[in-house]
Amino acid sequence: MGASIGIKGVSKVFAGHDEKGGVVALDNINADIRSGEFVSILGTSGCGKSTLLRIIAGLDKATSGTIFCGGETVINPDPSRSLVFQEHTLFPWMTVRDNIKFALKSTRQYKEKRHEIAEWLSLADLESFADSYPHQLSGGMRQRASLVRTLAVASDVVLLDEPLGALDNFTRMTLQDELVRLWRERRSTMVMVTHDVDEAIYLSQRVILMSPRPGRVKNILDIPMSYPRDRASGDFMGFRVNILKQLEFAKTMQEDYTI
Amino acid sequence: MNILELKDISMIYGQVRALSNVCLSVGQGEWLAIMGPSGSGKTTMMNIIGCMDKPSSGSVLLDGEELSKLTPSELTAIRRDKIGLIFQQFHLITYLTALENVMVAQYYHSMTDEKEALLALERVGLADRAKHLPSQLSGGEQQRVCIARALINYPRLILADEPTGNLDETNERIVLNILRGLHDAGTTIIVVTHDPEVAFEADRTVYLEHGRVADVVKKIEGTAAACASEAQDLVYAAKA
């Protein structure tokens, strides 16, 4: 089971190049993410969602405020809080199997977890590509491999920065199913940044809606639907309209979604 | 003595011929650049030379050894022992320091030696940054960590895919100077690049077009700008 994350009064100001002062990227962000929860951070470009994720990862420092992970203050990056990016980060000179093996070795978990490699390959449906190099895989397969490599070492918290953004729509929907399956299987805490409203609703238990300039939390929404979810259900549509309205993209009031 | 020989290699993916009957010899200690527009077969060639792929036909000899006869694990061993790879993306592990990032490469070589790793960082002028995390390093410094990582096993061949693609001019120069130093010390260097300035550093530049060798240019005496502009013209001609 993953660790909880506390975001307490986090602000981030990027220093300006002139005397006008800096740009406020994040302004007093507060949120609590429960252990094993799947949460999405949703907002338009410039709302600071990726910056917030990098601060949770320990890759950037907040100007003020604190991030707690499993009760401890986050200071630096740590393998227990790994990031998955839009571009896969597999080592091109290693096969899929060696990539996972290497990740375990680099975090000194190889002896204890080597028997899990086959399981991860099977979970990612990559058994027959275990000895292929990343360039020999399709985009979707590469991202699956990248994901299980991260999960193999980071069982506590997985931070996803638009992980499916580079994929075509259909591959993306298939991988959303994979992601839900892997999360339900392992119950890591997952925090995903996305600008795709449907993706946020389809995957998350809660959605943190952010507004831009300066980046602020606009609302935190519960998505109390059971998994696996149906993208075409009325409830799904209801959440969709609600979120689009809050992001000020829905132009009309729509109360009835039945046809 | 040639360190690398590509003999009539072709690479076919379904209906696509990524490489067609390419022949190329690279001498020990030579600096070779491979240029060409996107889709010309550069990356395919890099993958074959880097033992990450096998051609559909033809043979590849590295240090006199015929690669097509080797098993995947033997190929991995060859790459590990003889080739240092540098990529445009840095592939550094975010939660490890520069020194640790170089050291984890040693896991791959089944040995860990902090002194060796520090020495590799010294060779790229980064000994004072050993304890920094990648996020605390500039893009140029991150690429130098990658070079240090590639140098850990003293490879005879450095294979670099757009090594300065993510860098500004100053850092490009620093990286090229490091490669120059390695070349002067006798290391063979093969650089795949779009950048004429990078290709200019090489002894010889091979231009690929539609999977074939379209032209080979030896380093011409003259100003960098003139050579770069000639290289640029050739690239444009290849695209046209």
Side-chain angles (χ1 to χ4, degrees):
Chain A
M1 193 76 161
S4 61
I5 299 168
I7 305 166
K8 309 284 181 201
V10 167
S11 295
K12 176 76 179 176
V13 182
F14 288 108
H17 293 293
D18 51 29
E19 287 169 4
K20 284 180 192 166
V23 176
V24 182
L26 294 171
D27 182 24
N28 191 27
I29 306 291
N30 289 286
D32 284 307
I33 296 166
R34 293 184 280 267
S35 161
E37 194 177 16
F38 200 129
V39 169
S40 287
I41 305 174
L42 180 70
T44 53
S45 301
C47 71
K49 52 191 190 297
S50 288
T51 304
L52 180 59
L53 201 71
R54 286 180 63 86
I55 293 174
I56 298 172
L59 289 174
D60 277 340
K61 299 226 180 311
T63 310
S64 60
T66 312
I67 302 283
F68 295 97
C69 183
E72 304 214 349
T73 310
V74 169
I75 300 164
N76 277 324
D78 189 275
S80 66
R81 272 176 281 114
S82 273
L83 259 169
V84 178
F85 298 95
Q86 189 175 101
E87 293 298 324
H88 77 92
T89 48
L90 298 168
F91 291 121
W93 61 91
M94 289 184 197
T95 62
V96 173
R97 189 198 308 279
D98 284 346
N99 260 289
I100 300 176
K101 206 160 140 182
F102 183 82
L104 289 174
K105 281 189 174 179
S106 70
T107 50
R108 300 180 199 283
Q109 303 181 72
Y110 182 61
K111 275 187 190 154
E112 145 206 3
K113 290 188 173 175
R114 60 189 299 179
H115 63 280
E116 291 181 10
I117 295 177
E119 196 184 328
W120 286 114
L121 287 166
S122 145
L123 268 174
D125 201 14
L126 285 170
E127 288 142 306
S128 47
F129 291 90
D131 298 311
S132 299
Y133 288 94
H135 74 93
Q136 293 167 324
L137 308 178
S138 69
M141 288 158 86
R142 276 201 286 261
Q143 201 55 307
R144 276 203 318 261
S146 201
L147 198 59
V148 293
R149 186 185 66 166
T150 303
L151 287 170
V153 294
S155 45
D156 292 352
V157 174
V158 181
L159 305 170
L160 306 134
D161 193 358
E162 299 195 28
L164 312 179
L167 305 171
D168 71 80
N169 245 348
F170 296 109
T171 310
R172 188 170 178 148
M173 285 194 274
T174 312
L175 280 208
Q176 287 168 356
D177 288 334
E178 299 282 325
L179 202 51
V180 167
R181 193 169 56 81
L182 288 169
W183 166 66
R184 294 179 75 197
E185 194 103 15
R186 291 283 160 158
R187 285 290 169 169
S188 305
T189 307
M190 297 232 183
V191 185
M192 180 180 68
V193 157
T194 182
H195 54 235
D196 183 329
V197 176
D198 287 4
E199 185 164 273
I201 302 169
Y202 191 69
L203 295 172
S204 355
Q205 294 170 302
R206 281 191 302 157
V207 177
I208 300 175
L209 275 182
M210 290 188 62
S211 58
R213 284 174 290 275
R216 286 188 177 134
V217 173
K218 198 177 172 83
N219 200 356
I220 300 181
L221 283 175
D222 274 314
I223 312 285
M225 283 192 289
S226 59
Y227 295 92
R229 293 175 172 174
D230 179 2
R231 293 182 183 85
S233 71
D235 283 349
F236 196 99
M237 290 299 175
F239 285 115
R240 194 166 192 273
V241 172
N242 182 1
I243 289 176
L244 287 173
K245 268 188 203 162
Q246 296 202 40
L247 293 173
E248 293 164 24
F249 282 105
K251 292 200 169 60
T252 51
M253 294 291 281
Q254 215 174 333
E255 301 297 342
D256 188 359
Y257 315 107
T258 48
I259 298 169
Chain B
M1 167 73 182
N2 288 329
I3 187 167
L4 178 74
E5 299 248 15
L6 304 181
K7 290 183 178 168
D8 202 25
I9 60 163
S10 295
M11 188 66 171
I12 298 156
Y13 299 108
Q15 304 287 311
V16 181
R17 287 181 80 88
L19 289 175
S20 283
N21 310 100
V22 172
C23 295
L24 180 70
S25 301
V26 183
Q28 174 67 49
E30 190 182 1
W31 185 336
L32 179 84
I34 301 173
M35 289 192 85
S38 301
S40 59
K42 298 191 299 292
T43 303
T44 304
M45 200 144 137
M46 154 115 187
N47 287 333
I48 290 173
I49 300 171
C51 303
M52 291 176 280
D53 222 338
K54 284 186 178 185
S56 311
S57 63
S59 65
V60 182
L61 276 93
L62 186 69
D63 243 356
E65 197 154 11
E66 165 64 86
L67 298 186
S68 64
K69 290 184 183 140
L70 302 181
T71 64
S73 59
E74 287 170 330
L75 277 175
T76 304
I78 291 259
R79 183 178 57 247
R80 196 178 52 203
D81 297 339
K82 297 195 172 165
I83 304 175
L85 289 160
I86 302 167
F87 291 85
Q88 181 173 1
Q89 268 83 32
F90 307 135
H91 300 288
L92 293 175
I93 299 172
T94 52
Y95 48 82
L96 299 181
T97 63
L99 183 68
E100 289 165 340
N101 261 290
V102 176
M103 282 178 69
V104 291
Q106 295 173 323
Y107 285 119
Y108 188 51
H109 302 288
S110 302
M111 53 115 174
T112 47
D113 185 340
E114 192 171 328
K115 275 186 194 153
E116 276 288 334
L118 198 57
L119 202 64
L121 281 174
E122 261 173 38
R123 291 171 80 189
V124 298
L126 278 183
D128 59 333
R129 293 277 199 275
K131 301 284 181 197
H132 286 58
L133 292 167
S135 57
Q136 296 164 330
L137 300 173
S138 71
E141 288 170 335
Q142 290 186 46
Q143 185 59 303
R144 280 148 71 193
V145 176
C146 299
I147 297 177
R149 186 178 56 189
L151 295 179
I152 196 70
N153 58 336
Y154 296 92
R156 295 185 61 205
L157 171 66
I158 292 270
L159 189 55
D161 190 4
E162 299 283 6
T164 59
N166 278 331
L167 305 180
D168 60 28
E169 262 177 57
T170 314
N171 281 301
E172 172 172 308
R173 193 33 54 200
I174 293 171
V175 165
L176 289 176
N177 284 342
I178 293 171
L179 293 178
R180 165 72 45 211
L182 290 166
H183 176 251
D184 291 346
T187 310
T188 308
I189 296 177
I190 300 180
V191 178
V192 175
T193 184
H194 271 102
D195 185 348
E197 293 280 351
V198 175
F200 169 72
E201 297 287 332
D203 301 326
R204 193 160 56 115
T205 301
V206 169
Y207 294 91
L208 290 181
E209 189 188 337
H210 304 305
R212 292 174 189 276
V213 175
D215 205 347
V216 180
V217 176
K218 287 203 175 153
K219 190 168 185 170
I220 312 156
E221 293 307 316
T223 65
C227 289
S229 126
E230 184 189 346
Q232 189 71 64
D233 288 347
L234 279 160
V235 173
Y236 286 144
K239 277 184 185 166

